[in-house]
Amino acid sequence: MVASPHAEKFAACLRMLKDRSRRGYDRLGKEAGVSGSSLHRYCSGLSVPADYRVVHAFAKVCGASAEELRELHRLWALADTDRDAPAVTAKDNPEWEPDEPAVPAQASPGPEALAVPAQSSPGPDEPVVPAPVSPGPDDVTPPEITPDDTGTPRRSRVPEKWSSRFAILAAVVAVMLVAGFVWMPDSGLGGASPEADDSLLYSSACKSVRMGQHDECVREVQSLLARAKGRLAVDGDFGPETLRQLTAFQVLAGVPASSVVDEATRNELVAQKVSMSTWSPAKVTKRIREVFVEDPDAAVAVARCASFLDPLWVLPNTNGSRNWGVFQISDARLRDLDGTPLRAFDPEWNIKAAHRLWSARHDFHDWPSCEAALKDEPKS
């Protein structure tokens, strides 16, 4: 197997953590809950783990910081996208541009957003606005000259002041009609706001914005997410951070969580009616301690390990499922708890639901990777 560039960077990051820990593969594997031989393959770039929880547990026992964990997850997501995927070429894709890097297609099951190649170039059907043409001397129509009763030539029978008034009235009516179409709720424009015409997302170049894309369309999406109180960098790079924030926004907006900026998502982003404002880490910590009175320190440590105490944290899995919220409750567990992704983003509901899971056996077996790293967590 020839490692992709993303897989090589991912393996290099793992090796850095392993070397820094000054421990062997067998010992690290035992502490992280994985075999030493598997860790050796991951660090050598021979394979990429299908489950990110293994990576997270390994990084935690190596003493990775929160920033290093975020970067490691970004590298894992990109490496997982490349898993056993052939490169896209001009033969396979007629829209391929030679000056853009080819984006691999996904061969194994995974999140929808990680399975679709980027599409950032403007389409050939983008409208071309012709340059204005100045009227020539033959284009000018002279005013009509007619004689009056005295024989003195005069201009058109319509007085100039009335002509001006008609022109002003026509302009006012035109403005009112245009405003009516823009603001009419059922005008057939998909609920577009006045900003729609000015938004880059409504151009043919941004018909669909996806994971792996690097362009101004992505930057526009990130800017709108940040304006909605999303926590992400505006850098034009559609990576895991943007994927998480976009998925959370779609859930909050009540549109399909496709992890792709489609028409419904675009309209909601531009409308700016959804707020992603949520609890601070300090408030989350306080509430966890109040609910998990039996073992507050461990509960806070697990939540910090799972989501960095972010109520809108989303983690996609390679089998297409996702984990949601403060305690990263899986799709399967949500069904057991009669919950939904929207409910899971409510920190109050999420924390109480996690306590219900903990109460079944009075341990954190539902979070095996974080449970293995509990001893490395500082007291909060």
Side-chain angles (χ1 to χ4, degrees):
M1 171 181 172
V2 178
S4 68
H6 290 142
E8 290 177 353
K9 290 181 181 179
F10 172 69
C13 187
L14 293 180
R15 289 196 299 272
M16 179 274 293
L17 293 172
K18 186 263 179 187
D19 293 342
R20 193 175 68 187
S21 72
R22 297 183 179 180
R23 283 177 277 181
Y25 289 112
D26 289 338
R27 181 179 173 186
L28 287 172
K30 184 176 181 179
E31 294 181 11
V34 63
S35 68
S37 58
S38 295
L39 283 183
H40 184 269
R41 288 198 306 274
Y42 302 152
C43 292
S44 302
L46 298 176
S47 63
V48 176
D51 191 341
Y52 175 70
R53 292 178 299 178
V54 173
V55 181
H56 192 95
F58 169 77
K60 293 296 292 184
V61 298
C62 288
S65 65
E67 187 61 33
E68 288 172 333
L69 287 171
R70 288 187 177 92
E71 175 62 12
L72 188 62
H73 179 246
R74 185 184 74 84
L75 294 175
W76 171 82
L78 294 173
D80 184 66
T81 305
D82 292 346
R83 184 194 306 275
D84 302 325
V88 177
T89 65
K91 179 180 178 181
D92 301 319
N93 183 3
E95 296 182 0
W96 179 76
E97 294 289 344
D99 58 341
E100 294 288 336
V103 180
Q106 185 169 351
S108 60
E112 296 177 55
L114 299 179
V116 186
Q119 184 176 354
S120 58
S121 302
D125 57 344
E126 187 172 357
V128 178
V129 180
V133 179
S134 302
D138 295 333
D139 298 326
V140 179
T141 303
E144 179 185 359
I145 305 296
T146 57
D148 59 14
D149 296 337
T150 62
T152 304
R154 61 180 175 85
R155 294 188 181 271
S156 175
R157 292 185 178 86
V158 180
E160 290 187 4
K161 62 179 182 179
W162 286 105
S163 178
S164 299
R165 290 178 182 177
F166 285 138
I168 294 173
L169 180 59
V172 171
V173 172
V175 170
M176 292 177 67
L177 287 173
V178 171
F181 278 116
V182 170
W183 289 99
M184 191 181 300
D186 298 320
S187 61
L189 295 178
S193 66
E195 294 85 358
D197 291 338
D198 298 328
S199 175
L200 178 63
L201 292 186
Y202 283 89
S203 69
S204 59
C206 303
K207 289 182 178 178
S208 180
V209 186
R210 306 170 182 272
M211 176 77 170
Q213 212 165 309
H214 313 268
D215 55 25
E216 289 304 312
C217 298
V218 176
R219 188 180 296 276
E220 178 77 357
V221 170
Q222 292 171 332
S223 297
L224 292 171
L225 287 171
R227 196 184 306 172
K229 307 301 182 183
R231 303 171 183 173
L232 77 168
V234 180
D235 56 8
D237 182 1
F238 198 136
E241 180 185 32
T242 303
L243 174 64
R244 285 193 294 269
Q245 293 292 304
L246 176 64
T247 304
F249 178 88
Q250 290 175 321
V251 170
L252 294 173
V255 299
S258 62
S259 302
V260 175
V261 183
D262 51 18
E263 181 180 1
T265 304
R266 181 175 63 229
N267 290 338
E268 292 294 337
L269 283 169
V270 174
Q272 286 290 298
K273 295 180 180 179
V274 176
S275 174
M276 301 179 70
S277 179
T278 187
W279 290 11
S280 67
K283 185 174 181 179
V284 171
T285 298
K286 181 176 182 294
R287 187 56 181 150
I288 292 174
R289 289 185 170 281
E290 292 171 350
V291 173
F292 282 85
V293 292
E294 304 89 345
D295 197 351
D297 289 338
V300 171
V302 167
R304 184 185 293 111
C305 166
S307 68
F308 304 99
L309 302 175
D310 182 354
L312 299 183
W313 192 263
V314 184
L315 181 64
N317 302 311
T318 54
N319 62 3
S321 66
R322 283 172 280 199
N323 301 331
W324 309 90
V326 172
F327 277 93
Q328 286 295 276
I329 300 177
S330 67
D331 289 327
R333 283 303 193 189
L334 280 182
R335 289 191 293 270
D336 296 340
L337 297 167
D338 194 25
T340 63
L342 182 59
R343 273 189 172 184
F345 281 154
D346 175 3
E348 179 72 19
W349 186 92
N350 193 293
I351 293 169
K352 289 183 176 179
H355 187 262
R356 287 166 59 189
L357 295 175
W358 176 89
S359 299
R361 290 164 50 178
H362 285 76
D363 63 23
F364 293 95
H365 69 278
D366 274 280
W367 301 269
S369 59
C370 291
E371 189 178 34
L374 283 179
K375 60 180 177 296
D376 296 325
E377 290 286 347
K379 300 293 183 182
S380 300

